[in-house]
Amino acid sequence: MINETELKKNAVILAIESSCDETAAAVIRGGREIFSNEIMSSCTEHVKFGGVVPEIASRAHTLAISKVVDSALKKAGFELNELDAIAVTYGAGLLGALLVGVSYAKALAYASDLPLLPVSHIRGHIAACYLNRPELKPPFVSLLASGGHTAVIYVKDYSDFEILGQTLDDAVGEAFDKVARVLSLDYPGGPNIERLAREGENSIKFPPMLKGEKNFDFSYSGLKTAVINYIHTAEQKGESVNRADVACSFQSAAIDVLVNKTIAAAKLKNVKTIAAGGGVVANGYLREKLKAECEKRNIKLYLPERGLCTDNAAMIGAEGYIRYLNGDFADMTLNAEAQVEL
């Protein structure tokens, strides 16, 4: 096992991500500098089923992982013996998909005698903001908005988080997918709702979530149900539904509360820096709304590039570097976990 005196400030890490339907590998230096970030997605295979099929995703990872890792190393211009560690997502996600990445990373680490770093996919999304941003340092408030998680987090230090609020039921990305299905839009729902929303108006008043609650929690189940009921009621009455208006109104209701509570959290913690991560942060409406609200209050905003919001290995490398500096290494007993704590 590597000891503290052997840690390198600008360690080069190979990162592997396979938590859902993207097989990804990246080479990162110092937790910030991206040499390569390769992704192979099986998303097109899942569209016909309206969502990710775990067995298909696992099989796709098995076929793609060697190619993706080789491509990441080649593009970065590194050999295995020039690396300082290997980071891998061990959770949260689809268990079978995670096992492919974890097994491959363990074998590679063992064969090349490199330390192994276990990385939480959730923390990876938060760490995505560090990529190509050497000036970003805690403390700050982070908005986590993805298909599986929604939370407002106070990042006290690189490894010290305080969850200020989180969803009590559906994640925001999950709600987008479910509403997209009832609007007859393909998976993944987020980008398709965003495109349709551009053609509509915010003219339908869906009920606000957790009305009267003075906290930072979220609840998307009621909003999702309100949209479904609105459409079904109109259909039963023989009335036409303006799908673009539904998409626009839902998107506004789902995202405005994210922005408002994130801004309120920054005020509570008296910080002038906000970051965000997760697939939903690729949404143009959210990015524009958050930017406008931060500018009003002279708050510095850090948003990952859109390609770093969705599942990728560069963010795993960024979080892996934090684990590396903390000496948080794993041995060959590392296993995949479908659920992990933040």
Side-chain angles (χ1 to χ4, degrees):
M1 181 65 67
I2 192 170
N3 61 55
E4 190 172 339
T5 60
E6 295 174 316
L7 295 178
K8 297 181 181 178
K9 184 177 180 180
N10 289 313
V12 178
I13 295 174
L14 168 67
I16 296 172
E17 152 67 22
S18 68
S19 64
C20 193
D21 56 343
E22 275 82 33
T23 313
V27 177
I28 309 296
R29 181 167 65 186
R32 310 264 179 162
E33 185 179 2
I34 303 173
F35 286 109
S36 64
N37 189 24
E38 301 297 288
I39 301 174
M40 289 183 68
S41 177
S42 60
C43 182
T44 55
E45 295 297 317
H46 305 286
V47 170
K48 66 189 79 170
F49 302 103
V52 177
V53 180
E55 292 81 2
I56 293 176
S58 300
R59 191 178 306 120
H61 286 308
T62 302
L63 296 173
I65 192 162
S66 291
K67 297 176 185 177
V68 171
V69 170
D70 289 347
S71 178
L73 288 170
K74 183 177 180 180
K75 186 172 181 179
F78 281 88
E79 300 290 338
L80 277 173
N81 60 10
E82 296 176 298
L83 302 175
D84 296 301
I86 296 175
V88 63
T89 304
Y90 75 95
L94 302 174
L95 195 57
L98 288 164
L99 279 168
V100 176
V102 169
S103 299
Y104 191 90
K106 285 165 63 175
L108 201 60
Y110 182 81
S112 54
D113 196 26
L114 287 170
L116 183 65
L117 298 161
V119 175
S120 160
H121 180 86
I122 309 169
R123 289 200 176 211
H125 276 306
I126 298 171
C129 280
Y130 295 129
L131 293 164
N132 300 325
R133 305 283 178 74
E135 74 280 9
L136 176 59
K137 298 177 182 179
F140 56 85
V141 165
S142 179
L143 169 64
L144 173 63
S146 70
H149 303 87
T150 306
V152 176
I153 301 160
Y154 177 45
V155 181
K156 302 177 186 178
D157 204 347
Y158 291 105
S159 297
D160 188 5
F161 299 165
E162 178 186 350
I163 301 176
L164 301 177
Q166 57 189 321
T167 183
L168 304 178
D169 38 60
D170 292 349
V172 59
E174 183 181 2
F176 266 86
D177 285 338
K178 289 178 178 177
V179 169
R181 193 174 298 122
V182 79
L183 287 172
S184 302
L185 298 174
D186 286 339
Y187 171 85
N192 290 315
I193 284 182
E194 182 182 358
R195 278 189 287 269
L196 183 59
R198 295 192 194 109
E199 304 171 12
E201 297 180 357
N202 182 15
S203 58
I204 305 167
K205 299 306 176 185
F206 293 120
M209 64 180 72
L210 297 181
K211 185 176 180 179
E213 295 289 335
K214 295 183 179 179
N215 58 42
F216 300 102
D217 289 331
F218 306 93
S219 173
Y220 282 96
S221 180
L223 175 59
K224 170 204 66 181
T225 302
V227 175
I228 294 172
N229 288 343
Y230 176 87
I231 294 172
H232 286 173
T233 299
E235 290 174 345
Q236 289 169 359
K237 292 180 178 179
E239 299 172 352
S240 62
V241 174
N242 188 318
R243 294 164 65 251
D245 285 353
V246 172
C248 183
S249 300
F250 162 74
Q251 179 176 256
S252 298
I255 287 176
D256 287 354
V257 68
L258 289 176
V259 174
N260 293 339
K261 291 197 175 189
T262 302
I263 295 292
K267 182 179 179 180
L268 175 71
K269 291 300 181 181
N270 194 29
V271 296
K272 284 292 185 179
T273 304
I274 287 175
V280 179
V281 179
N283 179 281
Y285 176 78
L286 185 152
R287 296 172 80 90
E288 292 167 9
K289 183 88 174 179
L290 197 53
K291 182 179 179 181
E293 294 301 319
C294 285
E295 286 179 349
K296 287 180 187 177
R297 297 162 177 81
N298 196 30
I299 295 174
K300 183 69 175 177
L301 176 64
Y302 288 89
L303 297 175
E305 299 170 14
R306 279 185 168 86
L308 297 175
C309 293
T310 52
D311 293 352
N312 66 90
M315 69 181 194
I316 303 305
E319 177 61 21
Y321 180 70
I322 296 171
R323 306 270 67 79
Y324 176 86
L325 293 181
N326 288 345
D328 183 14
F329 301 104
D331 57 27
M332 291 299 114
T333 65
L334 178 67
N335 204 357
E337 298 181 28
Q339 301 290 333
V340 296
E341 296 293 329
L342 178 63

